[in-house]
Amino acid sequence: MTQAPVALYVHFPFCVSVCPYCDFVVYGGKDARGPTNRIDALVDALVAEIGLRAAPGTNLGSVYFGGGTPSLMSPAQVERLLAAAEAAFGIQKDAEITIEANPGGGERGDLAGLRTAGVNRLSVGAQSFDATELKRLGRRHARADIEDTVRRARQAGFDNISLDLLYDVPGQTIESWRDTLAGTLALRPAHISAYALTIDHPDGDDHLPIRRGAATWRAAAAKQQDPARAADMYEIADDAFSAAGLNWYELSNWSRPGKQSRHNLTYWRGAAWEAVGPGAHAFDGDRTRRWNSARLDTYLAALASGSRPPGADATTDPATAQAERAILALRTSSGLESASAEMSAVLEWGRDQSLLESAEAAVRLTRRGRLLSNELFARLLPAS
């Protein structure tokens, strides 16, 4: 890596079931257990890859267990992975250690055990508090499961809890969205991520083929989405979160003071991070991204033989890298402090369109700019 990594992402690719909108590298149901426990084999492989990616003494500021449903791991497995990361990189004493969890008794995991293992931040995949929307999204939990998971997490000692929400969901109404927001805020989370449902069809060896049923679902769901309604939902959420003391700090993220996701800020600030697991992406802090291929069998086989997993990398040209750094900065409330001459005309256009405003020594998005950010970002990228 050009720079020492300040964060580590660990991808856990198993879920009890796979939601039709999910684009992450995920294997569902029997693929996790099968005739033998593949989670054990995965953890062995992750430990091995962490060792092969070692950069001793870098002292990570965050470790993020994402997926998939990494809360399906036992506390002992998580503790083993953290020990491997400590040996390979070093971990700061006050590092943010996050694990994603799905609500529900069979998926939220041993929260007390995970807290004892060293996890200090919990990201709960709530998505919606509406039973019909949850069913439509292929989610297995109910509203009561979200509430119960947060209650149990606090009992286990978690004081840094984030909830993930989706809007512009097929069949969703303004009223049901307001109800989801009310249910979310009643739980007093430290952090909220709210994303518009994105219907994608990704390809490449860092993704898995889209299942036929998921492709059919996506085609139908896309026809039921409404950009104007989505914009209204974003503004309603922004107002509700702000009134509850959660401040916007990135396009889709709000937090209480001091509770921003340190791990995700690594991405938005363009710092270097390491990543392990099938389909995981790493960044060298300059212009090169590296990724592992998504196929679990080849991933496990490579690590079992002592080799790094198959994958690839790509280096962007300097102009594109500069534009990408500017776009990442503009996604945040801190904004962009300096820009090249080539970007100045675009930024001036953004001010003329009320997409940008001055903030201390930086320029940042207005709320209108947040809603229309892609219009600005597309202009910042060099012409292809």
Side-chain angles (χ1 to χ4, degrees):
M1 283 196 166
T2 303
Q3 301 174 18
V6 299
L8 171 67
Y9 175 75
V10 181
H11 187 70
F12 180 88
F14 297 125
C15 277
V16 174
S17 61
V18 182
C19 301
Y21 59 86
C22 181
D23 288 328
F24 297 113
V25 177
V26 175
Y27 294 83
K30 60 182 177 60
D31 288 321
R33 297 292 173 178
T36 59
N37 190 335
R38 301 186 83 189
I39 292 179
D40 289 341
L42 172 75
V43 173
D44 288 343
L46 291 171
V47 168
E49 187 183 3
I50 289 170
L52 292 172
R53 306 288 187 192
T58 54
N59 289 324
L60 302 171
S62 70
V63 179
Y64 194 103
F65 295 97
T69 310
S71 55
L72 293 174
M73 284 189 288
S74 70
Q77 289 170 325
V78 171
E79 190 169 19
R80 184 182 171 205
L81 289 166
L82 288 173
E86 172 65 37
F89 303 99
I91 301 176
Q92 296 174 16
K93 289 184 178 179
D94 66 343
E96 175 190 272
I97 313 296
T98 303
I99 196 165
E100 294 179 344
N102 277 337
E107 299 179 64
R108 63 173 169 250
D110 179 354
L111 295 175
L114 291 171
R115 184 69 188 89
T116 300
V119 179
N120 54 29
R121 184 174 183 272
L122 187 70
S123 179
V124 181
Q127 315 310 358
S128 173
F129 279 62
D130 183 88
T132 301
E133 291 168 15
L134 288 169
K135 183 177 180 180
R136 187 171 290 124
L137 289 167
R139 306 296 288 178
R140 295 165 55 86
H141 65 269
R143 180 183 192 130
D145 293 318
I146 304 170
E147 297 165 345
D148 189 46
T149 296
V150 171
R151 178 181 61 81
R152 290 173 179 268
R154 288 206 171 96
Q155 290 175 344
F158 284 97
D159 62 1
N160 194 354
I161 300 171
S162 178
L163 294 181
D164 282 1
L165 304 177
L166 285 175
Y167 62 95
D168 200 18
V169 172
Q172 191 175 42
T173 65
I174 295 295
E175 291 72 23
S176 68
W177 179 234
R178 288 187 187 277
D179 181 61
T180 284
L181 296 177
T184 299
L185 293 173
L187 297 177
R188 298 174 290 106
H191 184 282
I192 298 173
S193 298
Y195 297 100
L197 177 65
T198 303
I199 307 296
D200 280 336
H201 300 276
D203 55 16
D205 74 337
D206 58 333
H207 285 84
L208 296 172
I210 299 173
R211 295 170 293 117
R212 182 182 301 175
T216 301
W217 185 94
R218 294 178 193 202
K223 295 177 181 178
Q224 299 178 56
Q225 293 191 292
D226 183 344
R229 182 186 61 191
D232 289 342
M233 289 178 171
Y234 183 94
E235 291 185 314
I236 290 167
D238 190 42
D239 287 340
F241 298 156
S242 178
L246 292 116
N247 301 315
W248 163 70
Y249 75 97
E250 192 276 339
L251 277 179
S252 301
N253 290 272
W254 294 257
S255 77
R256 301 192 188 282
K259 295 298 186 180
Q260 298 93 334
S261 170
R262 288 170 58 185
H263 186 85
N264 287 339
L265 282 170
T266 298
Y267 302 154
W268 300 319
R269 290 171 176 166
W273 74 87
E274 190 52 88
V276 296
H281 283 235
F283 179 58
D284 73 348
D286 185 19
R287 297 191 289 122
T288 300
R289 289 175 172 80
R290 186 205 74 237
W291 59 90
N292 293 337
S293 63
R295 292 294 184 180
L296 180 61
D297 288 337
T298 55
Y299 177 83
L300 295 176
L303 273 305
S305 69
S307 301
R308 289 185 175 183
D313 59 59
T315 300
T316 56
D317 62 86
T320 300
Q322 184 180 55
E324 289 176 347
R325 284 193 291 270
I327 289 169
L328 287 170
L330 285 169
R331 289 183 64 92
T332 71
S333 59
S334 298
L336 178 65
E337 293 185 359
S338 61
S340 66
E342 293 82 1
M343 294 181 191
S344 297
V346 176
L347 298 179
E348 191 59 38
W349 174 86
R351 288 190 182 92
D352 291 343
Q353 299 298 316
S354 300
L355 304 182
L356 293 171
E357 63 184 3
S358 296
E360 299 179 355
V363 60
R364 70 179 180 187
L365 294 172
T366 61
R367 188 155 81 170
R368 169 180 162 81
R370 283 187 265 162
L371 293 170
L372 299 173
S373 59
N374 285 341
E375 296 289 332
L376 178 70
F377 296 164
R379 287 172 165 81
L380 286 171
L381 289 168
S384 57

